[in-house]
Amino acid sequence: MFQEQLQQILDDIINRSGTEVSAAIYYRGKCAAAAAAGGGDVRAKATDRFNIGSISKIYCAAAVMKLVEEKRITLDTKICQVLPQFQMADRRYRDITFRMCLNHSSGLPGTGMRLAFQAEFLYDEFKEAFFDYLSRGKLKADPGSFSVYCNDGFDLAAFAIEEITGRSYSSYLRRAILEPLGAGSTGCGIEVLPGKLVRQNGCPLEYLACLGSGGIVTNLTDCAKFGAMFAVESSSQMTCPQGKSRTGNTQSLYYGLGWDTVSLSTEHYDFGPGTLGKSGGTSQFASYLLVSPRYELSIGISATKDTGIVPLEVASEIGAAFLKSEGADIVKPQMPSEHVRPRAMDGLYFGNRGLYRVCSREMDFAVDEFTPDGWKKFAETGEDFSFQEREGAVDLMMRWQGADLVLAQKFESKETLPVRKKTAWEQRIGKSYLIYNGHPDDLDIGDMVNGITIYRPETAESEFEKNIILFCAKEEGGFRMMPAMPAGDFETDYVLDGEGGSGCRDTFTPFVEIESGIEILYDCGVRYIDTDSLPKLASQTVTSREPQKNPAFRTDAGYRITACKPQHVKILLFDEDLYPYYDERRDCVFPMTKKGYIVFLAKEPFSAEVSYEQNEIGEEDEYRSN
């Protein structure tokens, strides 16, 4: 029995670190093994349920295909025909079809960053925020022109399913897919289902309201059972190549409907042609579903992120070990290979998460990254990098988990474009903006959504590059630099058009609104207030007369804060670089203030009495809030 071997593999993972991990194998239509390890005070069981993140996209695609089977739509039905609340100022949105939503070629921005991850399940609030975000955004490309990873399309498809069926998404999914399959642990949101709901140590329960793109919760036995539906060789629309590419980018071309790839190739193992793969990640979990039609094999794995595992690698190792126990050796022969250094193409490369600089050396090249503190080394050698030339650009490719991803792009032939006139964006270089419409149950706040600082690319050479501005979003433990081109005094346009799993993924065209004479920066569904407009905190009554319009103040270093406030109001403290150093939702000890900012998150109007006193010499640096 492979059960004992699987249990040992998972035990070894937890013995190194982490909260919990679970995995299951379906082979020739039957469950061959299922196990879990960890769990803390309550020992882990294979029936425990995990947030499997983006693996949810396959469930969404299956639900759409059920509607196609029922002849209620076709894959080429336009979304706006069945979902009237979906509207954008960019009129091209009318051409977006279900197929484009499921193969990542819709041209939608990528990911709405407001209320997708929640401490309480607030589906209606997310839905309202999502449609508002789309109505304020632009398409990054003509619908159907190329595929780049996009969450928005799947959430849009899930809302369309609700509109067509007159049911909640989870209800239709259960009736059409899960009940016939016998996947009793699988569901969405706050459905009461059998099995413990896992959370990472020190974290709250995590609810995902973005049901189509990431909201499925399940045990791994039922996840592998769902994968086994596709573990047969067929020409299903879901499992054949559906992606679009202008450049021959294989990652784009091999998107299925919902699947990351319908031609998975790993470095060490051969699972056969048509192997399917889908990753899933949330703030707490990392997951993978691997399906091999050749071997009629389906493997599902999920783990809390504190285990540090790479799910695809572990799933591959589990699959190889299992097939070996069944008499099949899928280990690839390892041939010695000599690294061939690609010809370096020096210059600045703009990516969806950063700005990079390629610098040739005598026998190799290095890659630097632009940070808020200046240029820093990103890679010492070019061993994991290559270059792809295409019309108007050169893509910097990075090898990751066996695939070449578009990390960033260098602009070519742009000097012929007219140089844009100086705009009000010039005066915004160096300015910072702080979260302004945060909800206290939005788990992205304090993690990925905090504040934005605007930069100009350093060492830009061409006039085109010199006009680009960088929106640096401050994340816990890091940052994300997104480029955009000014379009007048208040708007911006896209500059990236890379394909695949990274490319121009999750890009937006930020814009500025003026509210009572104050600049409000809007990006990916989130509003940020100009920090120069914030008053200094004092001992005072803090009030908010509008829901989710966050009172914010500047703080000096070395002060104690106490607050008598409603329970639903949560306090966050940020340093002057907009990184959070205190979050009331997870920290029970108020630190002494740093030079920076304080934000009061509230879901409804409130009034609070705040004491703000300078620390006396000899007093403790920390104290408990009351």
Side-chain angles (χ1 to χ4, degrees):
M1 287 288 290
F2 192 74
Q3 179 69 32
E4 291 183 3
Q5 190 171 345
L6 177 60
Q7 185 65 60
Q8 186 60 55
I9 292 171
L10 302 187
D11 285 342
D12 288 345
I13 290 172
I14 289 298
N15 287 340
R16 290 194 293 270
S17 68
T19 304
E20 189 163 340
V21 59
S22 183
I25 303 168
Y26 257 70
Y27 181 58
R28 295 177 178 173
K30 295 182 180 180
C31 184
D41 295 335
V42 180
R43 182 172 175 77
K45 298 179 181 178
T47 54
D48 291 349
R49 301 165 63 231
F50 290 70
N51 287 340
I52 57 171
S54 285
I55 296 175
S56 306
K57 291 179 173 64
I58 311 170
Y59 292 78
C60 181
V64 169
M65 292 307 299
K66 195 68 178 177
L67 291 177
V68 172
E69 180 185 316
E70 295 169 352
K71 301 189 183 306
R72 302 170 84 167
I73 59 168
T74 72
L75 281 175
D76 298 315
T77 297
K78 294 178 179 178
I79 295 288
C80 66
Q81 293 176 352
V82 298
L83 193 60
Q85 59 265 58
F86 169 45
Q87 296 184 15
M88 300 180 72
D90 188 329
R91 309 313 290 174
R92 294 177 294 173
Y93 85 94
R94 296 175 175 177
D95 296 327
I96 297 173
T97 66
F98 278 91
R99 187 191 304 273
M100 295 171 190
C101 287
L102 303 184
N103 71 5
H104 301 281
S105 71
S106 66
L108 292 166
T111 303
M113 295 301 297
R114 190 158 185 266
L115 287 169
F117 288 63
Q118 305 168 349
E120 291 186 16
F121 190 61
L122 303 168
Y123 184 66
D124 290 340
E125 288 86 343
F126 168 73
K127 184 175 182 178
E128 179 182 355
F130 179 75
F131 283 113
D132 179 71
Y133 145 74
L134 289 183
S135 73
R136 292 166 170 258
K138 302 176 185 178
L139 295 183
K140 63 181 67 173
D142 291 338
S145 59
F146 64 87
S147 296
V148 62
Y149 198 88
C150 179
N151 289 307
D152 293 337
F154 291 86
D155 291 323
L156 200 58
F159 289 130
I161 289 170
E162 293 185 329
E163 192 73 19
I164 294 166
T165 65
R167 293 170 169 264
S168 69
Y169 174 72
S170 58
S171 172
Y172 180 74
L173 191 66
R174 179 158 301 285
R175 182 187 70 80
I177 308 291
L178 303 176
E179 286 181 354
L181 183 63
S185 76
T186 307
C188 307
I190 55 174
E191 288 184 276
V192 179
L193 298 169
K196 179 188 77 176
L197 189 58
V198 177
R199 61 179 168 182
Q200 184 169 288
N201 285 342
C203 297
L205 283 174
E206 173 192 72
Y207 298 101
L208 274 68
C210 48
L211 301 185
S213 66
I216 293 293
V217 185
T218 184
N219 68 37
L220 275 298
T221 302
D222 283 345
C223 180
K225 181 189 288 187
F226 174 72
M229 292 171 53
F230 307 95
V232 291
E233 295 186 285
S234 71
S235 57
S236 161
Q237 293 255 32
M238 285 185 64
T239 58
C240 67
Q242 290 276 1
K244 301 291 183 181
S245 175
R246 306 149 302 169
T247 64
N249 182 288
T250 55
Q251 192 175 31
S252 290
L253 289 172
Y254 285 124
Y255 278 128
L257 298 183
W259 295 96
D260 286 347
T261 179
V262 296
S263 184
L264 179 66
S265 175
T266 69
E267 183 178 358
H268 300 295
Y269 308 108
D270 180 8
F271 286 96
T275 298
L276 311 173
K278 184 71 195 84
S279 64
T282 73
S283 59
Q284 296 183 33
F285 300 94
S287 311
Y288 207 88
L289 179 60
L290 186 157
V291 176
S292 169
R294 168 183 281 180
Y295 294 105
E296 299 179 63
L297 178 71
S298 173
I299 303 167
I301 183 169
S302 187
T304 51
K305 282 191 170 177
D306 56 2
T307 61
I309 70 164
V310 178
L312 171 57
E313 293 180 0
V314 179
S316 300
E317 291 165 3
I318 289 171
F322 173 76
L323 289 173
K324 185 175 182 180
S325 74
E326 295 291 321
D329 184 1
I330 67 167
V331 176
K332 291 180 179 179
Q334 298 301 300
M335 305 297 292
S337 61
E338 183 177 344
H339 172 64
V340 178
R341 182 176 71 88
R343 178 174 63 89
M345 305 186 76
D346 290 8
L348 288 184
Y349 288 78
F350 295 80
N352 71 327
R353 293 194 60 85
L355 174 65
Y356 307 91
R357 181 175 62 188
V358 173
C359 305
S360 291
R361 298 190 299 207
E362 183 176 351
M363 297 297 293
D364 201 353
F365 62 90
V367 181
D368 299 330
E369 180 181 26
F370 182 64
T371 77
D373 298 319
W375 288 100
K376 294 188 177 180
K377 193 66 65 183
F378 183 74
E380 290 286 352
T381 72
E383 182 176 357
D384 295 321
F385 297 88
S386 60
F387 301 90
Q388 174 181 273
E389 295 185 72
R390 56 185 173 89
E391 184 177 357
V394 176
D395 292 329
L396 175 62
M397 314 292 288
M398 183 174 72
R399 194 74 177 166
W400 186 75
Q401 292 190 14
D404 289 317
L405 302 180
V406 178
L407 177 67
Q409 68 184 72
K410 181 174 74 166
F411 299 105
E412 299 285 317
S413 306
K414 295 292 188 180
E415 292 289 6
T416 58
L417 295 178
V419 177
R420 297 183 185 248
K421 296 179 180 179
K422 301 296 183 182
T423 69
W425 289 104
E426 298 292 325
Q427 281 70 53
R428 298 185 185 112
I429 304 301
K431 288 179 70 70
S432 294
Y433 299 80
L434 186 65
I435 177 72
Y436 184 51
N437 66 337
H439 191 290
D441 293 315
D442 190 338
L443 292 179
D444 274 336
I445 298 173
D447 181 13
M448 299 178 66
V449 176
N450 299 302
I452 290 177
T453 300
I454 300 177
Y455 291 91
R456 174 74 77 202
E458 289 191 5
T459 69
E461 296 179 355
S462 71
E463 288 300 320
F464 182 82
E465 292 174 343
K466 290 175 182 177
N467 279 275
I468 294 173
I469 51 178
L470 301 171
F471 293 85
C472 181
K474 306 302 175 68
E475 302 175 354
E476 187 175 35
F479 60 91
R480 179 173 77 95
M481 292 255 187
M482 184 189 72
M485 180 66 74
D489 287 334
F490 300 99
E491 303 278 340
T492 62
D493 284 333
Y494 293 107
V495 293
L496 298 181
D497 61 355
E499 300 179 355
S502 184
C504 59
R505 173 183 177 175
D506 294 344
T507 50
F508 195 74
T509 52
F511 58 87
V512 166
E513 301 172 310
I514 305 298
E515 184 177 294
S516 301
I518 296 171
E519 287 196 347
I520 306 296
L521 178 68
Y522 185 95
D523 181 41
C524 293
V526 182
R527 304 178 80 214
Y528 301 86
I529 188 169
D530 180 1
T531 57
D532 289 342
S533 72
L534 300 180
K536 276 195 173 185
L537 184 65
S539 293
Q540 64 187 91
T541 301
V542 174
T543 60
S544 174
R545 294 182 174 84
E546 296 183 49
Q548 296 172 61
K549 186 170 286 188
N550 311 141
F553 303 86
R554 286 180 288 140
T555 60
D556 289 318
Y559 280 74
R560 297 180 304 167
I561 298 175
T562 56
C564 180
K565 58 181 181 57
Q567 186 66 31
H568 72 89
V569 178
K570 305 301 180 187
I571 293 176
L572 274 76
L573 295 174
F574 298 87
D575 65 21
E576 59 183 335
D577 294 321
L578 304 182
Y579 291 109
Y581 64 94
Y582 170 79
D583 184 341
E584 184 181 347
R585 298 168 300 183
R586 65 183 181 215
D587 303 323
C588 62
V589 175
F590 247 120
M592 287 296 161
T593 59
K594 300 179 181 180
K595 185 176 181 181
Y597 309 96
I598 182 171
V599 175
F600 295 81
L601 302 180
K603 62 183 74 174
E604 58 191 46
F606 74 93
S607 177
E609 295 299 324
V610 175
S611 171
Y612 181 66
E613 298 179 354
Q614 192 163 15
N615 185 31
E616 297 295 335
I617 296 175
E619 290 187 3
E620 294 294 328
D621 285 340
E622 295 182 337
Y623 61 95
R624 295 194 175 274
S625 77
N626 54 350

